[in-house]
Amino acid sequence: MEKIILTGDRPTGNLHIGHYVGSIANRLKLQEMGDYKKFYIMIADMQALTDNANNIDKVKNNIIQVAIDYLSAGINPNKVDIFIQSQVPELSEITMYFMNLVTVARLNRNPTVKEEIKQKDFNASIPAGFLCYPISQASDILAFGTTLVPVGDDQLPMLEQTREIVRSFHNVYGKEIFPMPNALLPDRQACRRLVGIDGAAKMSKSLGNCIFLKDEPEVVKQKIMNAYTDPNHIKISDPGKVEGNVVFEYLDAFCKDEHFKLYLPEYANLDELKEHYRRGGLGDVKIKLFLNNIIQEILEPIRQKRKKLENNIDEIYEMLFENSKKASQVASQTLQKMKEAMGIDYYKFLKK
Ligand code: TRP
């Protein structure tokens, strides 16, 4: 089967290093492999609005920010079509038909949505659109015949919901029109759900515990120096815990053996460093400076590219406009197929 890749992000803030290891790194790999028919990255502004109805400016401003983040992180616009969700109106129409195939009880069981509802303090006032966003995400994926969705751990429930909709649509309407999409997760466990610098929860814009791709070097360093480690590791000689220690979680996600040769040649690899920390005698400052070197090495080229792109905003909007138009044509073909399968192509007997 032909490979069609689609993924996306909500434009509610700049992208951070959790996005980078969770999904962007895999997107770059896929882009370089090049063995796909189509590769879409969607800026999910409608999904962002499901809990930001009164925050239009935030969403609007972050559309271009996220587009710049993609391009500066190395997404190549000649290989990948970046487009804006709301500019593909067919997606909403598809969502409307899918809504009838999903129960409210099922939506309430979605673990990621449940966690978000807790975090956002919605209490009893959950917007209907928010509860339904997994259905709209299924439309994003299925409208383009997507087979592969590169994402982090937290998106697995959306993929599961999408797959259920595929089965249900095929069952109810008796025609197999959608390929079954699969998630592509990062190889390393630590990359699938990067913890925030506070160590309390996953890195998330709304929790304010992020290192952003656009952060200036001093800001990045400051955040790393303040990262949560092991509160019982007070004196350098104390034995330290590696589990739940943000610095080691980030090293698990970002560190390669080459980094030791460059920045910390006393150790051959991460296992040796962990072993020393556990034993005692290794201070937090040393591991934080090591981590800082690694993160700066990744972010520096991204920052440089961003500075250039910030002067080309018009061109980027032009690209988004053109790609959204093309995406709309593709989604419209899928919608047509759906209507045929459902038998709601009422005018098919009319002579043109
Ligand atoms: N839910 C994703 C996020 O929280 C954004 C998204 C919307 C998405 N539609 C998608 C991701 C389709 C992958 C595929 O950022």
Side-chain angles (χ1 to χ4, degrees):
M1 200 182 2
E2 278 167 325
K3 198 189 273 181
I4 297 181
I5 307 166
L6 181 137
T7 187
D9 301 276
R10 295 179 200 174
T12 50
N14 280 99
L15 299 184
H16 52 64
I17 61 171
H19 292 116
Y20 189 84
V21 283
S23 172
I24 308 270
N26 261 344
R27 299 180 202 182
L28 296 172
K29 238 189 265 168
L30 288 167
Q31 167 183 289
E32 291 328 311
M33 288 188 328
D35 63 337
Y36 50 81
K37 181 171 173 230
K38 240 7 212 160
F39 190 164
Y40 300 98
I41 299 182
M42 190 192 73
I43 303 180
D45 61 332
M46 291 207 295
Q47 189 173 115
L49 288 171
T50 61
D51 64 331
N52 281 292
N54 52 0
N55 250 330
I56 300 284
D57 280 348
K58 169 167 129 189
V59 173
K60 185 161 59 180
N61 296 334
N62 279 307
I63 289 177
I64 190 70
Q65 285 300 317
V66 168
I68 296 175
D69 280 335
Y70 289 151
L71 298 170
S72 39
I75 297 296
N76 179 343
N78 297 318
K79 295 183 176 174
V80 176
D81 284 7
I82 307 173
F83 71 92
I84 305 177
Q85 185 183 30
S86 67
Q87 303 309 299
V88 181
E90 291 78 8
L91 295 176
S92 306
E93 203 173 334
I94 294 173
T95 300
M96 204 64 192
Y97 296 120
F98 285 166
M99 291 236 247
N100 306 328
L101 303 173
V102 180
T103 65
V104 174
R106 174 66 181 89
L107 292 169
N108 276 317
R109 276 201 307 273
N110 185 308
T112 299
V113 173
K114 262 192 186 157
E115 206 177 297
E116 286 171 314
I117 287 174
K118 241 195 276 162
Q119 256 178 31
K120 291 173 204 286
D121 266 341
F122 280 139
N123 299 317
S125 47
I126 304 162
F130 186 81
L131 194 64
C132 293
Y133 89 69
I135 306 180
S136 137
Q137 185 155 342
S139 309
D140 305 336
I141 294 169
L142 298 177
F144 302 96
T146 305
T147 57
L148 197 65
V149 187
V151 281
D153 246 2
D154 60 329
Q155 297 300 304
L156 287 179
M158 312 309 156
L159 253 295
E160 204 37 56
Q161 177 69 84
T162 305
R163 294 164 63 88
E164 280 174 37
I165 290 176
V166 170
R167 280 184 218 111
S168 171
F169 189 96
H170 291 168
N171 257 329
V172 172
Y173 301 114
K175 251 194 189 152
E176 309 241 330
I177 62 172
F178 299 115
M180 198 52 101
N182 287 300
L184 178 71
L185 292 172
D187 295 333
R188 295 190 193 191
Q189 189 61 41
C191 297
R192 297 182 179 181
R193 171 177 278 243
L194 197 72
V195 70
I197 41 177
D198 55 0
K202 79 160 189 169
M203 186 169 283
S204 151
K205 295 162 271 198
S206 49
L207 297 174
N209 59 7
C210 305
I211 296 175
F212 293 102
L213 299 184
K214 65 177 281 205
D215 277 345
E216 289 298 328
E218 318 78 67
V219 177
V220 173
K221 186 169 176 193
Q222 195 61 49
K223 288 179 178 175
I224 291 176
M225 295 320 274
N226 289 331
Y228 178 89
T229 56
D230 171 4
N232 296 318
H233 179 249
I234 298 163
K235 287 190 283 169
I236 292 183
S237 54
D238 290 339
K241 250 177 79 180
V242 165
E243 292 72 28
N245 181 320
V246 172
V247 176
F248 280 101
E249 301 234 352
Y250 288 8
L251 288 173
D252 275 332
F254 292 97
C255 175
K256 300 190 188 126
D257 287 353
E258 299 95 87
H259 290 135
F260 283 94
K261 287 191 198 82
L262 268 172
Y263 305 121
L264 206 57
E266 305 104 278
Y267 304 88
N269 55 42
L270 192 51
D271 287 337
E272 279 186 17
L273 189 74
K274 284 182 178 174
E275 176 43 37
H276 192 185
Y277 194 80
R278 286 200 181 100
R279 208 168 59 228
L282 175 56
D284 280 359
V285 172
K286 191 156 178 177
I287 55 169
K288 283 177 170 173
L289 290 174
F290 177 50
L291 175 66
N292 179 56
N293 280 326
I294 297 172
I295 302 285
Q296 301 285 3
E297 177 186 303
I298 296 170
L299 295 188
E300 184 52 27
I302 300 180
R303 265 192 304 259
Q304 292 307 328
K305 208 152 174 215
R306 171 173 255 282
K307 296 213 167 99
K308 290 195 201 122
L309 289 163
E310 278 169 349
N311 299 319
N312 294 343
I313 304 278
D314 287 358
E315 254 169 62
I316 299 175
Y317 272 119
E318 193 76 37
M319 169 197 82
L320 294 171
F321 175 71
E322 291 302 329
N323 287 343
S324 302
K325 250 193 331 199
K326 280 192 283 174
S328 168
Q329 281 159 9
V330 177
S332 147
Q333 287 167 13
T334 303
L335 186 57
Q336 196 49 42
K337 266 196 240 164
M338 283 173 64
K339 287 183 175 173
E340 278 164 30
M342 294 167 73
I344 58 169
D345 44 347
Y346 306 123
Y347 302 137
K348 73 175 172 191
F349 301 113
L350 289 182
K351 299 215 164 50
K352 296 240 164 76

